[in-house]
Structure formats: C-alpha cells, structure tokens
Amino acid sequence: MSILNEISQNLQCGKAKVVKELVQKAIDEGISAESILKEGLLDGMGVIGEKFKNDEVYVPDVLIAARAMSAGSELLKPLLASSGVKATGKVVLGTVAGDLHDIGKNLVRMMMEGKGLEVIDLGIDVSAERFVETAVREDAHAICCSALLTTTMGEIKNVIDAAIQAGIRDKVTIMIGGAPVTDSFCKMVGADIYTADAASAADAAVQVCSR
Amino acid sequence: MHLRAEVLSPKDLQTVHENTLALLEKYGIRIKHQEAKMVFLEHGAKVEGDHVKMPPELVMKALSSVPSSFILTGRNTERNVGIGEGYSPVFGPGAGAVFISDYERGRRPGTVQDLRNLLALSQSSKHIGVACAGMIYPFDMPVGVGLEAAILETLKISDKPLFGLSQDSAVSEICIEMARVATEGKGEHYVMGVVNSLSPMAWDDKMLGSIMVYAANNQPLVLACCSMAGFTSPTTLSATVIQNNAEIIAGIVLSQLVRPGAPVVYGNTSTITDMSTMNLCIGAPEYQLISTAASQLAKFYKIPYRSGGGLTDAKALDMQAGIEATTNLLFSMANGVNFVLHALGIMESFMSISYEKWIMDEEIIERIMRMTGDGCRLLPDAVEMIGNAVASGSGSFIDHDDTLDNFRSEFYRTPVSNRQNWDTWEKNGISCQKTANGIWQKRLKDFVPPELPSYVLKELEKLVQMP
C-alpha cells in the first residue's frame, strides 16, 4: 500500500495520530504537499463523505475523520502556502451576536475543514461588523452565520446589512443555519443559502467556493 | 426493561381452568368427524350424538403429555427454531390474506409473484423464523394445483423451517410429505401447521382431520381459536376466555390421544365484534386482554403459546395502523409469547398484506426489542468518563470515545421513521410509505434464493404433479 493510500485509510478510521505521523513521513520522503493533501487526506474524506451520504457511517465517524484531516493538514499548511497552493476555499464562521451556542457551529466547522476548506471560526456572540470585517480582510468566499434562538436569528439580518454597507454583498455568499432557521427565513432576510445540517452546509460551502 | 403482562390472578387462573374442565365435562364440544369421535370414545370420553364430553382426568392426562418446547427443523438446519419454554419468541409473517397492497399499485388480489416476493422478504427478514406457504392466496395459480404449488414455491425460495398448510387432512398429508422430502431427515419436526376451532364450542371435520394427520406424523400444530366476543363467544371477556380455552384444549386432547407427546402450540386470536357492523376487530385493545389471559393459561399448562402480531383493522397505512400494530406487537411480546403469527404486513382484519407495512412492522418489532432488550447497561467508570469528557473542553460528547464506541449499539436507528428536520424532509418528499417502499424493493432486488439440491427439487415436483 502506498503511503498516500495509507493516509487515506487511517483518516477514514479517524486515527489522527497515525495520520499525522504518516503525513510527516510522506513530507520527509519528498512527496509534494499538494499530493499528500489531495491523494491522501482529501481522498479519505471523499470516501467518508460518500459513505455518510449512503448512511454507512454517521456524524461521529465523519467528525473523527475530519479531526484526523486537521491533524494532517496542520503540517501541510506552511508547505502549501510557500508553494502557492490555495485551499479549496475560505469561509468566515460564527454564532451571531447575543447567541452563545457553539456545538452545532463547531460541527459545521469540522465538516467544512473535512472538505478541505479554510474556516475562520470567530466563535460565539459575533457582531455583524466582526463578520464583515473579517470577510473583507481575509477575502472570504462566504460568511456562515449560526443562530440557535428565535431571539437571535434576527441578527442575521444585521450581518447582511453590514455586508451591504461595506460594499461586499455581491462578492460574499451568506450562508445561514441553526434550529429555528428555515429556507423561507433565508429568503425573507435576503441571505443566500440555508442548509439544514452540518454535512449539507459543508457541501454547499464547497460549491460556493468553487464557483 | 422487563415487561410482563398479566391479566388473571393465580386464583382467577385456577377458576378459569376449573370452569373449562366443567364446560368440557358437562356440555362437551361439538364434533361430527367419526374417526375423531372414536378416538375420544376409546379413551373414556362420552359421545352423545355430536357432543363429545370429556372427564377432567382424560383432559389432564392428555395435557400432561404435551412437550413444553420443540425444535422445528428447516431445509437449512442453521435456521432451525426452538418454540416454547426457554426459547426467544419466533415470528411468522402475515398469513391467509386475500389481497395485497403496495405504495405504487394500491390494493389488488394476490398473485404467484406476490407470494414469491413475500417469501423473499420473509427469507431475508432477520425477524421471521419460518417460511410460510399460506401468506397470500395467489389468484393466478391454475385451478387444481394451487396449494401444493404454493408449498413448492415456499421450499424453493426459503430454507427456513416450513410453516405449512393444514386446510384439511389431504392438504396436511401432502404438506408434511413435501416438508419431509425437503428437509431430508435432518430433524424430527419439520413442518408446523395451524388449525382453528369453529366457535362456539365446535371443531369442523377438516380441522379435525388436520389435527389427526399432524399428530400422527408427530409434526407440530398450532391449535387456535378466533372467536368474536358478542357474536361467536360471550361478550364478557372472561367467559370468552373460558370458552376459547375449552375449544383449544379439546383439540389438543385429540392430538395427544392420537399420539402422546405430539408437539402443539396453544393459540388465540379471539377479539371483540364491532357492534355497528358486526365486523371482527383485530386491532381492538380487548384482543390483548384475551390474548394475555390465553398466554397465562398456556403457561399454566406448560404448552407453547401463539398470539397475533401487528394486527390492525386499518385499511391504509395511517395512524390507526400504527397504533394497533404497535400495541398488539408490544403486548404480544410482553405476555411471553412463543410464536407470533401475523407479525408482519397484515392489515384490514386479516384481509390483506401490505409490503410497506411489512417493513414498518419490522421496525416496530426492533423498537420493542430495543426497549425490552439489554436495558440500560452500567459502565464501570462512568464518573471518570463524564468528568474527563467535560474537562477535556470539547463541549460535547459527539467525538468522545463513549460515543464512538457505543452509538451504534446503544442507539437504535429507525429504518423507516424519519428524524430529519422539516426543510430536508419536505425537500426530499419523504413519507414513511415511500421509505418503506424503497426498502422492500431493494431487498427484493438484492435477494438470492438459497440453494435447493436438484434431486430434492425433482422429488418435490413429482409430489406437486400428483392428482
């Protein structure tokens, strides 16, 4: 079995430590960072993603695979940057102002990272301005807002308004999610994409970034 | 979780038993069948015209020779099932239906292809223990070959123990012979039949013939009744239980007089009558009162017990179907049943089998098994586990070892019931019927029938061609 194949296999089993060691070994053997990422890490995540869609594996399995992916890609980041390889895409993620819930948002982050996206996670209680400032500074493809409460989901509208004010509304896709959020709410406030769960959020983000 | 349903106190049980003996002794059971009458007469029963009156000693002696359990052998002995004391309940599919229904084609008369499909679903069901030849009546079977051909289909498509046919002595004979050929001497008991009393207080000639043939061949037989309280048995449920007990016991006594030790199963699917239509109500809650009492009686006599499964009077796969199938399966499993007929698919007061309900009933059984299975297992290190997980700061248990190691076994995953949120559900156009339809279609597509040796098939085909 080639080392890249081994990375993929171990990643599918969620063996973060082994994946990290193998990635280091591959780097030492002189394999390019881009090959390690694409043929090792992302290949494994692709298999897991497909199995997840077919109900063969579940969220915890995807999560530990994503964690193994992160462990491996940490080592690759500096190499990728220096060789000019860009991440699949970049998104800004956070829970809106006044809302302290982060478990679902973290799930979204891990799923997105598993797809090879660079996620700038602003955490919880994130103001509309901070979402927009970060998106401008990082030249992000998307702003992803999470809201768990009916009392905070209105904040999403503020993020959109801030994006309009900053003049980036046509450049950045605004994705929203969270238990009370719906597709019709998405249309009502003028956001771009609503997704019902973490896995579909990651899929949608990849699509946005590859446009 | 331990579920133990009981409706009769030990004292009530004794009273029902004594009343049953008195009923059989004083009033007897109506039997016209000459040979059966002779058997009773030879063993000390009084025969007055068509009434056979049996002394308590005769009844008790006969009941004492019934085995409390037995093994039913399949073509494939790995699929043998134990029925009775010490074994888990064995499930059989819906049976005796005239119509079939599915999501795409609706309700229609059954065909040979439907029988084949149901046999494939039964063979591939991890819950069904037997191959049932009489699930659906195939209307397109050529006249005159019907029943043997259905048995042959069953033996071709399934290698599970045969739940055969027993409509009369001739059918019983051929069915037993075919099962004997198919199982090639791998076991003592290789086919089980079912007969029904003619309530109130009678057995008809055909059923008596089948009882005698099955007993003579030492093959297991379910002796059941399906009286309609308020119509063919008393309205007062306790009196229905006494009448039913007398009917079933009369049949069991005959089997033991023909051959002491012949395996039998005590069955009951009696229920109430709808007083505005006079229809049978198999989905009624009273069914479980009667069935639970019957189960207690069977245990009192140390005889394996059979009850109904996902019984419902619903015409559509609606909430009525769900309520009735679930309560009936739940109480059947709680009353200590040994064999469940009609576990899957049955609808419309036994008139039809639905492919989708079959799949849904499997889920109901799995849900009940989850509830009544291992229960809540204790961990040796729960304190440390919770403490460490919370302290580790990930903020959730989703990626904790306790989840990764246990979620598959600890959480039952419903194949049909939907747990998505509104938008996803709506977008995908999901319904339980549609999901269940997809499941059975896939099961049929993936189905590979078990091997049947060609010399066995040849022997069987000869039997089917018999006039």
Side-chain angles (χ1 to χ4, degrees):
Chain A
M1 196 181 355
S2 82
I3 187 157
L4 296 179
N5 196 344
E6 234 177 300
I7 290 171
S8 169
Q9 295 290 339
N10 280 284
L11 179 139
Q12 289 169 44
C13 305
K15 291 182 181 159
K17 211 173 143 232
V18 182
V19 168
K20 199 173 172 181
E21 284 163 12
L22 287 168
V23 168
Q24 188 57 55
K25 201 173 147 206
I27 294 170
D28 295 344
E29 283 176 15
I31 301 173
S32 81
E34 196 176 356
S35 302
I36 300 171
L37 179 70
K38 289 191 176 153
E39 292 158 49
L41 299 173
L42 286 176
D43 177 80
M45 284 309 296
V47 174
I48 280 285
E50 204 47 43
K51 284 188 174 172
F52 181 70
K53 278 201 189 103
N54 296 334
D55 249 8
E56 290 167 51
V57 300
Y58 303 100
V59 173
D61 307 298
V62 179
L63 221 52
I64 55 162
R67 203 200 279 158
M69 160 98 192
S70 297
S73 55
E74 273 307 305
L75 297 173
L76 298 178
K77 258 186 199 163
L79 301 171
L80 289 169
S82 66
S83 62
V85 177
K86 282 192 178 158
T88 315
K90 199 189 266 189
V91 304
V92 175
L93 171 73
T95 307
V96 297
D99 201 325
L100 308 180
H101 294 86
D102 69 346
I103 289 179
K105 184 263 301 166
N106 293 346
L107 214 53
V108 171
R109 184 190 67 225
M110 287 189 254
M111 290 290 190
M112 287 181 169
E113 285 175 346
K115 295 272 176 188
L117 296 171
E118 186 180 344
V119 182
I120 299 149
D121 186 353
L122 299 176
I124 53 174
D125 195 13
V126 180
S127 68
E129 291 70 31
R130 238 183 111 210
F131 270 115
V132 173
E133 277 163 26
T134 313
V136 170
R137 190 179 64 242
E138 299 285 344
D139 193 20
H141 292 86
I143 293 176
C144 306
C145 304
S146 167
L148 193 83
L149 306 172
T150 49
T151 50
T152 58
M153 60 196 261
E155 275 297 325
I156 291 171
K157 180 84 172 68
N158 296 341
V159 178
I160 295 164
D161 290 344
I164 295 168
Q165 283 214 326
I168 60 160
R169 185 64 189 90
D170 55 339
K171 281 183 237 150
V172 69
T173 301
I174 297 185
M175 294 178 53
I176 65 172
V181 178
T182 63
D183 206 25
S184 53
F185 177 80
C186 175
K187 292 192 179 89
M188 195 179 79
V189 296
D192 298 308
I193 298 171
Y194 157 77
T195 52
D197 54 59
S200 36
D203 285 342
V206 168
Q207 282 212 333
V208 166
C209 295
S210 57
R211 266 180 211 156
Chain B
M1 180 159 47
H2 297 288
L3 289 180
R4 168 59 72 228
E6 282 180 356
V7 64
L8 299 175
S9 70
K11 193 167 152 271
D12 292 344
L13 208 50
Q14 189 62 35
T15 305
V16 168
H17 167 64
E18 283 163 13
N19 286 342
T20 303
L21 292 180
L23 192 58
L24 286 170
E25 186 178 29
K26 281 191 195 164
Y27 299 94
I29 189 119
R30 283 181 298 130
I31 284 176
K32 290 188 174 165
H33 195 276
Q34 275 308 320
E35 250 184 281
K37 271 191 209 173
M38 288 307 295
V39 173
F40 276 113
L41 196 61
E42 279 165 22
H43 288 84
K46 265 195 248 169
V47 178
E48 297 172 4
D50 290 340
H51 282 256
V52 174
K53 299 178 179 179
M54 46 197 93
E57 310 77 62
L58 169 64
V59 173
M60 293 315 290
K61 186 166 176 256
L63 288 181
S64 70
S65 65
V66 177
S68 61
S69 69
F70 57 89
I71 302 277
L72 193 61
T73 301
R75 281 215 288 115
N76 174 353
T77 52
E78 281 174 18
R79 297 192 181 274
N80 288 2
V81 292
I83 292 176
E85 201 181 354
Y87 296 103
S88 319
V90 172
F91 294 94
V98 180
F99 296 96
I100 188 95
S101 68
D102 73 75
Y103 179 70
E104 283 160 353
R105 297 170 63 195
R107 177 179 181 271
R108 57 207 148 81
T111 62
V112 178
Q113 190 54 49
D114 288 314
L115 176 63
R116 286 181 189 137
N117 290 349
L118 292 179
L119 284 165
L121 291 180
S122 149
Q123 172 74 5
S124 61
S125 172
K126 58 183 174 212
H127 304 296
I128 293 296
V130 292
C132 180
M135 285 187 280
I136 185 118
Y137 184 82
F139 276 94
D140 56 346
M141 200 81 104
V143 178
V145 285
L147 297 174
E148 298 93 292
I151 299 168
L152 180 61
E153 288 297 335
T154 308
L155 292 168
K156 274 193 211 166
I157 297 171
S158 182
D159 59 5
K160 292 182 178 181
L162 182 63
F163 190 75
L165 300 177
S166 42
Q167 281 86 333
D168 58 32
S169 57
V171 172
S172 298
E173 295 271 12
I174 183 82
C175 185
I176 291 169
E177 178 59 11
M178 288 176 77
R180 190 189 62 73
V181 168
T183 51
E184 303 175 85
K186 290 168 189 163
E188 192 182 4
H189 311 302
Y190 40 78
V191 57
M192 181 158 76
V194 59
V195 290
N196 228 290
S197 69
L198 183 64
S199 301
M201 293 302 288
W203 281 95
D204 77 20
D205 286 1
K206 289 183 173 182
M207 297 287 99
L208 290 164
S210 297
I211 294 174
M212 296 179 75
V213 168
Y214 269 79
N217 286 280
N218 198 21
Q219 296 310 309
L221 187 65
V222 178
L223 292 102
C225 58
C226 185
S227 76
M228 298 168 72
F231 203 178
T232 62
S233 68
T235 293
T236 306
L237 299 183
S238 62
T240 277
V241 169
I242 292 165
Q243 179 192 307
N244 286 170
N245 195 36
E247 292 166 353
I248 298 160
I249 282 179
I252 291 176
V253 168
L254 176 62
S255 74
Q256 300 305 301
L257 296 181
V258 171
R259 183 181 170 124
V264 291
V265 177
Y266 183 116
N268 193 321
T269 51
S270 296
T271 183
I272 60 164
T273 311
D274 176 63
M275 286 296 166
S276 59
T277 59
M278 297 312 282
N279 282 343
L280 176 77
C281 310
I282 62 175
E286 289 81 4
Y287 168 60
Q288 285 305 337
L289 289 170
I290 296 170
S291 175
T292 301
S295 178
Q296 287 183 266
L297 284 162
K299 287 195 176 47
F300 181 80
Y301 301 123
K302 298 189 167 58
I303 300 173
Y305 178 63
R306 169 252 154 153
S307 79
L311 306 185
T312 178
D313 303 307
K315 268 61 74 179
L317 285 179
D318 54 11
M319 190 150 168
Q320 180 188 351
I323 293 172
E324 294 180 345
T326 304
T327 47
N328 277 329
L329 279 165
L330 180 62
F331 278 90
S332 288
M333 289 163 82
N335 72 26
V337 71
N338 303 110
F339 178 66
V340 182
L341 192 58
H342 308 295
L344 307 181
I346 204 80
M347 292 198 52
E348 210 197 318
S349 319
F350 296 130
M351 286 302 288
S352 67
I353 288 179
S354 150
Y355 284 97
E356 285 79 28
K357 183 169 179 288
W358 179 295
I359 302 299
M360 293 176 188
D361 285 338
E362 286 186 337
E363 176 175 321
I364 297 172
I365 288 173
E366 286 164 4
R367 282 171 173 261
I368 296 170
M369 282 177 161
R370 176 66 188 109
M371 289 186 274
T372 57
D374 292 340
C376 292
R377 236 166 8 98
L378 289 186
L379 287 178
D381 56 349
V383 177
E384 289 74 16
M385 194 273 284
I386 299 166
N388 291 340
V390 174
S392 78
S394 86
S396 87
F397 284 87
I398 182 99
D399 52 355
H400 191 275
D401 281 349
D402 179 56
T403 302
L404 296 167
D405 295 345
N406 299 313
F407 80 92
R408 282 187 169 77
S409 58
E410 200 76 1
F411 301 164
Y412 167 63
R413 204 173 152 74
T414 55
V416 180
S417 297
N418 187 274
R419 290 166 168 175
Q420 289 166 331
N421 57 15
W422 175 275
D423 287 279
T424 314
W425 174 80
E426 195 189 30
K427 194 176 79 198
N428 295 341
I430 291 167
S431 71
C432 283
Q433 285 89 333
K434 205 170 148 187
T435 305
N437 182 270
I439 293 173
W440 71 259
Q441 300 258 21
K442 180 167 189 313
R443 281 250 293 269
L444 286 190
K445 213 178 104 215
D446 296 345
F447 181 72
V448 182
E451 236 175 278
L452 178 66
S454 58
Y455 60 90
V456 174
L457 179 60
K458 250 183 218 158
E459 282 290 299
L460 290 172
E461 280 169 345
K462 269 189 233 158
L463 289 167
V464 173
Q465 280 157 16
M466 273 175 21

